[in-house]
Amino acid sequence: MADDWANSGSGEVAGVDLHVELTGAGGLRAQLMSALRDAIRSGRLAPGTRLPPYRGLAADLGIARNTVAAAYAELVEEGWLTARQGSGTRVAQRAAPAPIRHRVDPVRPGPQRVLHDLQPSSPNAAAFPRSDWATSTRRALASAPHDAFGVGDPRGRPELRDAVAEYLSRARGVRAEPDRILICAGFAHGLQLLTQVLDGPIAMEAYGLDFHRNTVHANGIDTIPISVDGHGAVVDELRATAARAVVLTPAHQYPTGGPLNPERRATVVDWVRSTGGLLIEDDYDGEFRYDREPIGALQGLDPDRIAYLGSVSKSLSPALRLGWMVLPDALIDTVLAAKGSRELWVSVVTQLALADFLRTGAYDRHLRRSRATHRRRRALLVHTLAERAPHVRVSGIAAGLHAVLELPPGTEKSTVRAARRLGLALDGLHRYRHPATTMPDRDGLVIGYGTPADHAFAPALDALCQALPSP
Amino acid sequence: MADDWANSGSGEVAGVDLHVELTGAGGLRAQLMSALRDAIRSGRLAPGTRLPPYRGLAADLGIARNTVAAAYAELVEEGWLTARQGSGTRVAQRAAPAPIRHRVDPVRPGPQRVLHDLQPSSPNAAAFPRSDWATSTRRALASAPHDAFGVGDPRGRPELRDAVAEYLSRARGVRAEPDRILICAGFAHGLQLLTQVLDGPIAMEAYGLDFHRNTVHANGIDTIPISVDGHGAVVDELRATAARAVVLTPAHQYPTGGPLNPERRATVVDWVRSTGGLLIEDDYDGEFRYDREPIGALQGLDPDRIAYLGSVSKSLSPALRLGWMVLPDALIDTVLAAKGSRELWVSVVTQLALADFLRTGAYDRHLRRSRATHRRRRALLVHTLAERAPHVRVSGIAAGLHAVLELPPGTEKSTVRAARRLGLALDGLHRYRHPATTMPDRDGLVIGYGTPADHAFAPALDALCQALPSP
């Protein structure tokens, strides 16, 4: 056996047949160490076993004595072997492993093949501007000062804060001086930071992401639902609550789709002013409006009372993990303290690349392309439903990357099940509902028309029409 | 006045002289909106003020009536203006702003100009392999599957987990199957996640980063100091504690510089086995050993009881915010649950770039260069001190990116002050000391010889020698 490999050998060692094979990466010493570790781990070399002398194993393996000696010495250092004067090199004695609880996979739904994906999660991943992003990355890497690669400023890179300030003030009407901007890893990260510095319950829209509610609850803060209708959140309800802060999606209520109307905009600004409260504005898709110019952010009405949060998750990709907060002056230091002086969550290379992407106009170009695509897709969704399922209404404004389809009462669950059988992934409206809301129940679907690749969109719509309940 | 600009104008409006200047980015409508917002914000247009009719302002500004109408309409939508039949367009009435607590800057030490930086924070930021990283990014962007840009897997990209598994098993002797690897934003992020799923106090080395201790405390978990000496942590002390987990830096105790010796390696493995505890191995600079081959990670001795954590913070840059955890099977699901299914903290583009960087050998090449630089720097530090300050001993092994200088008792504070006067930033040893340890007090400096740029290293050493106490 031993002759089958140039560098393998075996020897009778204290009654144990030690067979060692030298393969894999690294030099001969590393290979020998790896083989010995494996033999010990597998039990082939039991604790206390005496290893062959250097000379013998070296000869068997056709390698230098020094290599064997070095491998033994390192395994002694690492704790695999012990070496004592007079008793040679032995496998270390160690307590028997305590029985460990083996990993039990939680019960998960059986694997369901997803053929069509209309879940409202992200823009079309196939449309990520790879080449432009690579160009921005290269340019940013070439021009960054050295200190960019040291321990960073938790506020984020100044290049990016400048570029974001310029963009937000131009495109979203945000009052955004660079020194009131904090870069974060996305909306949820920003909400987590704000939750850490706020006291008392936070009002949230009765329909929204459970993930956001959970982020608040995880910090020991309660959430209070406020109703939503076709004009966004019913902010008059705030007065009757104990909330000191409210999270809103004013440009496009998520997911039901109404924009906060002008009266309610005024009402909520009055509320934060008279109560000394805080409005957290989640501007997750403010750039995407298809029937008119986007409405500017609420934040401009009172930058001292409104924290504005946005990200590239809908405009570019959630995979970049990059967002921003524009904070009232009075909150900056406390939120920075919560963020931690040593830690910054967002890759600086990604920050610098986005700064370049914004500054060179690549972001605006990408948004224009993306807006055109999503406008077409929404129109196709509306048109298809009007033809094939006229009893299903698309509610909300022509905006964003998703739409809500209103279903006849009591049909949501069966529709989601029917979709699943067709391999179509989509969300029912119920999973967005705040458990404590007293709003009348609604049946519906939240359709992410941005998600599929171009070629996959028409087939996904077709599957959707098949899954919908008959009139 | 009105004629000074092609697009500016003024009019007598309800007793208010409205002067508007159209400048800045965007079309005329956006410029007009921006100017009106500014006028309202500044108080020049008071609440209730009636705005000029479209026709008048359009004529004054030399722009189309429709443009003024559109700007007014959008500002109504945004809540700045109100429009009522018969009473025209007016500035919205809003409650007066409540007085807000103005930002009070916490007392910070006066600005001290840093001329030389020997703080142990990061590798030489000037040595970041920008061009290779840009190449890896471009290649990764070109070859990634589309789904990489959608909502990601919180475990991290499979490409990166494969590459990290291969690297860790080859270079650090870690038992690292890809499905036991979780990508995270660095050691502190990994520690934070583990702290969330562990019960009871965690033992930590009596000298270490206060930032790591604070990360544990922030989750409501106590830390128990265990002493350190020239052979690393005195792990025999673990038996007398109530700790169920211990954080160690076995390859190179941070910051005092001893490696955990073989007997202690065996002792701590026995401890975790007999108590059912967990060892958290912080392998922050295991690749950097200058006197011999690096000692393999402890984790290989019992992958079911040892969580191995590492990052690129010392090898490449802390600005990438990228690290990994190799977890015992039994912990994977709970740590993943703590990480959250919707959130991943690490930019996918950075993950894919590192996967390419590892796979193509660029990481190994960079490590070789970096190791040679740091070996030379450490030798120069030792040599310079031997010549100019022979009474100051450099303790610890020839490894890593930092060294501890032992100072005569009672001289640390004055030395740090003397350094500060010379514009030299460095850390005293006391700030690393666990407040509850009963170890004898030690005076010393923690010198990050990796931090300065090449040209800045000799002058920094010179300043250091000037700051040191005389014999």
Side-chain angles (χ1 to χ4, degrees), chain A residues 43-376:
Chain A
R44 283 190 292 127
L45 278 175
T49 308
R50 185 169 176 162
L51 267 75
Y54 308 152
R55 183 197 308 260
L57 191 57
D60 279 351
L61 295 170
I63 63 179
R65 258 175 76 179
N66 281 348
T67 305
V68 177
Y72 281 16
E74 290 206 38
L75 290 172
V76 168
E77 293 280 345
E78 291 185 11
W80 296 90
L81 305 177
T82 58
R84 268 185 233 302
Q85 196 68 33
S87 97
T89 306
R90 290 175 183 275
V91 177
Q93 292 282 2
R94 281 199 307 278
I100 66 158
R101 185 173 61 79
H102 272 289
R103 178 175 179 199
V104 182
D105 279 318
V107 181
R108 289 184 177 126
Q112 185 81 39
R113 186 137 174 257
V114 174
L115 301 171
H116 314 286
D117 191 353
L118 289 176
Q119 289 177 107
S121 55
S122 69
N124 172 2
F128 184 79
R130 299 169 181 234
S131 165
D132 286 349
W133 191 261
T135 303
S136 281
T137 303
R138 177 173 292 281
R139 208 153 39 204
L141 281 167
S143 66
H146 287 322
D147 71 3
F149 304 102
V151 170
D153 183 335
R155 290 177 297 175
R157 286 298 302 175
E159 297 90 335
L160 180 57
R161 287 186 289 132
D162 285 350
V164 166
E166 190 279 326
Y167 170 75
L168 290 179
S169 117
R170 166 169 61 78
R172 303 293 302 127
V174 173
R175 185 77 177 269
E177 297 83 7
D179 61 1
R180 295 198 296 125
I181 293 181
L182 256 63
I183 300 303
C184 57
F187 176 80
H189 185 206
L191 180 61
Q192 193 184 86
L193 293 170
L194 284 169
T195 305
Q196 285 174 51
V197 306
L198 294 175
D199 291 324
I202 297 181
M204 296 183 87
E205 293 162 330
Y207 281 85
L209 280 175
D210 57 353
F211 168 56
H212 292 171
R213 292 192 292 266
N214 295 341
T215 299
V216 176
H217 298 158
N219 281 296
I221 303 264
D222 283 337
T223 59
I224 300 173
I226 52 171
S227 307
V228 298
D229 61 21
H231 300 293
V234 185
V235 291
D236 300 288
E237 293 178 4
L238 285 170
R239 298 246 171 231
T241 71
R244 291 293 304 271
V246 58
V247 182
L248 295 179
T249 48
H252 188 212
Q253 202 283 321
Y254 192 84
T256 64
L260 197 65
N261 76 11
E263 290 74 28
R264 291 187 183 170
R265 287 182 155 236
T267 301
V268 70
V269 170
D270 285 350
W271 179 78
V272 290
R273 288 185 173 178
S274 61
T275 60
L278 180 74
L279 164 58
I280 300 169
E281 178 171 18
D282 177 4
D283 195 32
Y284 66 100
D285 69 356
E287 295 92 347
F288 293 96
R289 186 85 192 238
Y290 314 126
D291 53 343
R292 49 163 292 165
E293 288 293 317
I295 296 179
L298 247 174
Q299 186 263 6
L301 290 176
D302 197 340
D304 283 330
R305 295 280 167 208
I306 305 178
Y308 173 92
L309 276 68
S311 79
V312 300
S313 294
K314 302 289 180 197
S315 58
L316 274 169
S317 162
L320 292 178
R321 296 290 81 205
L322 212 153
W324 41 78
M325 322 172 70
V326 186
L327 293 177
D329 274 349
L331 275 178
I332 294 170
D333 286 340
T334 41
V335 172
L336 260 180
K339 202 167 191 256
S341 64
R342 293 280 301 218
E343 206 58 336
L344 73 175
W345 294 105
V346 185
S347 162
V348 164
V349 176
T350 307
Q351 291 187 51
L352 293 170
L354 181 62
D356 181 273
F357 205 74
L358 282 160
R359 214 170 31 229
T360 57
Y363 192 70
D364 287 312
R365 282 195 302 278
H366 178 71
L367 276 180
R368 272 197 298 278
R369 276 194 304 269
S370 184
R371 217 178 271 126
T373 306
H374 288 107
R375 177 189 285 119
R376 272 198 308 274

Side-chain angles (χ1 to χ4, degrees), chain A residues 393-418:
Chain A
R393 202 175 84 90
V394 179
S395 67
I397 53 175
L401 280 60
H402 76 277
V404 167
L405 313 195
E406 295 178 10
L407 295 180
T411 62
E412 180 184 310
K413 256 192 192 159
S414 57
T415 307
V416 172
R417 270 201 306 270

Side-chain angles (χ1 to χ4, degrees), chain A residues 25-26 29 37 41 73-74 76-81 84 93-106 108 120-123 125-128 130-131 133-135 137-138 140-151 166 169-170 172-175 179 185-186 188-189 192 209 211 260-263 265-266 269-270 272-274 276 292-298 300-305 316-321 329-334 336 342-350 431 453, chain B residues 25-26 29-30 37 41 73-74 76-81 84 93-106 108 120-123 125-128 130-131 133-135 137-138 140-151 166 169-170 172-173 175 179 185-186 188-189 192 209 211 260-263 265-266 269-270 272-274 276 292-298 300-305 316-321 329-334 342-350 431 453:
Chain A
R29 183 191 50 76
R37 283 196 204 103
R41 198 143 41 197
E74 290 206 38
V76 168
E77 293 280 345
E78 291 185 11
W80 296 90
L81 305 177
R84 268 185 233 302
Q93 292 282 2
R94 281 199 307 278
I100 66 158
R101 185 173 61 79
H102 272 289
R103 178 175 179 199
V104 182
D105 279 318
R108 289 184 177 126
S121 55
S122 69
F128 184 79
R130 299 169 181 234
S131 165
W133 191 261
T135 303
T137 303
R138 177 173 292 281
L141 281 167
S143 66
H146 287 322
D147 71 3
F149 304 102
V151 170
E166 190 279 326
S169 117
R170 166 169 61 78
R172 303 293 302 127
V174 173
R175 185 77 177 269
D179 61 1
H189 185 206
Q192 193 184 86
L209 280 175
F211 168 56
L260 197 65
N261 76 11
E263 290 74 28
R265 287 182 155 236
V269 170
D270 285 350
V272 290
R273 288 185 173 178
S274 61
R292 49 163 292 165
E293 288 293 317
I295 296 179
L298 247 174
L301 290 176
D302 197 340
D304 283 330
R305 295 280 167 208
L316 274 169
S317 162
L320 292 178
R321 296 290 81 205
D329 274 349
L331 275 178
I332 294 170
D333 286 340
T334 41
L336 260 180
R342 293 280 301 218
E343 206 58 336
L344 73 175
W345 294 105
V346 185
S347 162
V348 164
V349 176
T350 307
R431 62 178 295 179
Chain B
R29 184 192 47 79
R37 283 196 203 102
R41 199 143 40 198
E74 292 206 34
V76 168
E77 294 279 345
E78 291 184 12
W80 296 89
L81 305 177
R84 267 184 234 301
Q93 294 282 2
R94 280 199 307 278
I100 65 156
R101 188 174 58 79
H102 271 289
R103 180 175 178 198
V104 181
D105 277 318
R108 290 183 176 128
S121 55
S122 69
F128 183 80
R130 297 168 182 236
S131 163
W133 190 261
T135 302
T137 302
R138 178 174 289 281
L141 281 167
S143 66
H146 287 322
D147 72 3
F149 304 102
V151 170
E166 190 280 325
S169 112
R170 165 168 61 79
R172 303 293 303 127
R175 185 77 176 270
D179 60 1
H189 184 206
Q192 192 185 85
L209 281 175
F211 167 57
L260 197 66
N261 76 11
E263 289 74 28
R265 287 181 155 237
V269 170
D270 285 350
V272 290
R273 286 185 174 178
S274 61
R292 48 163 292 165
E293 288 293 319
I295 297 179
L298 248 174
L301 290 177
D302 197 341
D304 283 330
R305 295 279 167 209
L316 274 169
S317 163
L320 293 178
R321 295 291 80 206
D329 273 348
L331 276 177
I332 294 170
D333 286 340
T334 41
R342 291 281 299 220
E343 205 59 335
L344 74 173
W345 294 103
V346 186
S347 160
V348 163
V349 176
T350 307
R431 61 178 294 180

